[in-house]
Amino acid sequence: MNVLAKLFRKKPALLDWRAFIEHFAARARERGYPADIHWGEDLTRSSISFSRADDNAYTAYLDFVWQEYQNEPGALDAFIDARLDVLDQMTESTAAPDASQIFPNVKADAWLEAAKAMRREGGADPDEILNQPLAGDIHLVYMLDTGNAFRDMHRSELGELGIADENALQQTALANLRQYSAGRAENHDYGSGIHRLVLDGFLDAALILILPQLTGIGDHPDGIILAVPARDALLYCDGGDHDAIRVLQELAQELHGAAPYPISARLYHLQDGELDEYAPPVASV
């Protein structure tokens, strides 16, 4: 575990509601949004207004995000960013994308619900976010590489991109990820039977989707046990190494609790191309 300790970070302290609102506004300002706080007697009576590039304004009431934060303190910035991502998409004006810019990504239940809630609050259709359940609490979503950032891909853009249906979308996204990761993805050995795949800090977790095609993985008759605790962390071990699986579970929980962009604290089992949530064997009596 000493070799793995460098992966760990301390969990953030819980903010009070005023500090929470100030943090939300500060993160919005970092993204270029003028943000004004309207203080009320408590959080439910307070709000933040954002000036947008299209000269419109948006007001955010934060009680839903606050509840998410109480449930998962380490995911605060991810919850905020999910809402700011949607705000970006509502105002963004860019050249028409093409299919080579489509990439798959892996997101948690919490991220997906926050993104949909933000769209509802902004008057947009939440079902425009293309997503597909993978296993456990993780989902496949689709992103468009705009050159300086990734944004969610919308269902209404399928036709513009020449994509016939969601099956064609998945194949296109996976092909783009394979091409992008070729020669870039690195397999790091952390000892104790634990390996980590590293790509670019953003699409690392998405490598779970093409893991069987990556070189250097080796043979695993019992399959591979995986963890995607954060967007920049894809850890795995052999499915038959029970000691490594215990270490991996500890790592997944620790990294998920500390990551600024968390995904899942659960483990997953990949075998014969099928991904399922990992279920530990039941001890015989």
Side-chain angles (χ1 to χ4, degrees):
M1 291 297 291
N2 291 336
V3 178
L4 304 173
K6 60 185 177 182
L7 296 174
F8 297 158
R9 285 162 285 183
K10 293 182 179 179
K11 295 182 180 180
L14 199 65
L15 303 175
D16 63 34
W17 68 271
R18 289 182 177 275
F20 165 82
I21 292 176
E22 290 171 346
H23 181 77
F24 195 119
R27 197 157 181 92
R29 293 180 189 120
E30 290 174 2
R31 294 272 290 265
Y33 287 102
D36 296 318
I37 300 174
H38 305 280
W39 293 108
E41 296 178 3
D42 54 26
L43 182 131
T44 59
R45 295 177 176 84
S46 302
S47 63
I48 301 176
S49 62
F50 305 99
S51 300
R52 293 177 8 184
D54 56 4
D55 295 327
N56 290 318
Y58 172 76
T59 299
Y61 294 91
L62 309 175
D63 47 335
F64 183 73
V65 192
W66 172 258
Q67 186 57 55
E68 292 178 323
Y69 172 53
Q70 300 302 300
N71 295 336
E72 293 189 59
L76 174 58
D77 286 345
F79 293 141
I80 294 173
D81 287 344
R83 283 155 171 77
L84 296 177
D85 286 346
V86 174
L87 196 58
D88 287 346
Q89 294 161 23
M90 292 164 62
T91 61
E92 193 174 47
S93 176
T94 60
D98 62 63
S100 68
Q101 296 170 261
I102 302 171
F103 285 88
N105 209 345
V106 176
K107 297 290 187 179
D109 285 339
W111 181 93
L112 185 60
E113 289 308 311
K116 288 183 175 182
M118 180 68 171
R119 291 190 67 84
R120 290 189 196 96
E121 292 164 8
D125 183 359
D127 291 332
E128 278 287 294
I129 300 175
L130 289 154
N131 67 93
Q132 174 186 336
L134 288 174
D137 60 348
I138 59 175
H139 296 257
L140 166 63
V141 299
Y142 297 96
M143 319 292 286
L144 281 171
D145 182 1
T146 63
N148 56 8
F150 282 87
R151 69 168 176 83
D152 302 333
M153 182 178 167
H154 301 155
R155 191 175 302 279
S156 58
E157 294 176 302
L158 287 173
E160 300 172 23
L161 293 164
I163 304 297
D165 52 33
E166 291 193 41
N167 182 60
L169 172 64
Q170 183 178 13
Q171 296 308 312
T172 299
L174 294 179
N176 290 342
L177 181 60
R178 290 188 194 98
Q179 181 178 6
Y180 174 70
S181 63
R184 290 188 176 95
E186 299 177 353
N187 193 340
H188 295 183
D189 184 349
Y190 280 93
S192 300
I194 305 298
H195 299 265
R196 182 174 187 172
L197 287 172
V198 177
L199 183 55
D200 61 1
F202 187 85
L203 291 172
D204 300 46
L207 294 175
I208 194 174
L209 303 166
I210 59 170
L211 195 62
Q213 290 82 47
L214 294 176
T215 59
I217 300 299
D219 295 326
H220 299 275
D222 295 310
I224 298 172
I225 306 301
L226 301 136
V228 282
R231 78 178 189 188
D232 60 349
L234 170 52
L235 307 170
Y236 73 92
C237 69
D238 184 86
D241 189 338
H242 300 296
D243 290 337
I245 293 172
R246 283 192 291 271
V247 172
L248 185 62
Q249 182 66 83
E250 294 174 9
L251 279 170
Q253 294 174 351
E254 186 75 23
L255 291 174
H256 179 263
Y261 299 97
I263 297 179
S264 176
R266 304 181 191 182
L267 298 185
Y268 296 89
H269 183 210
L270 179 65
Q271 188 166 28
D272 299 327
E274 295 293 327
L275 182 68
D276 298 291
E277 185 172 354
Y278 172 68
V282 178
S284 59
V285 180

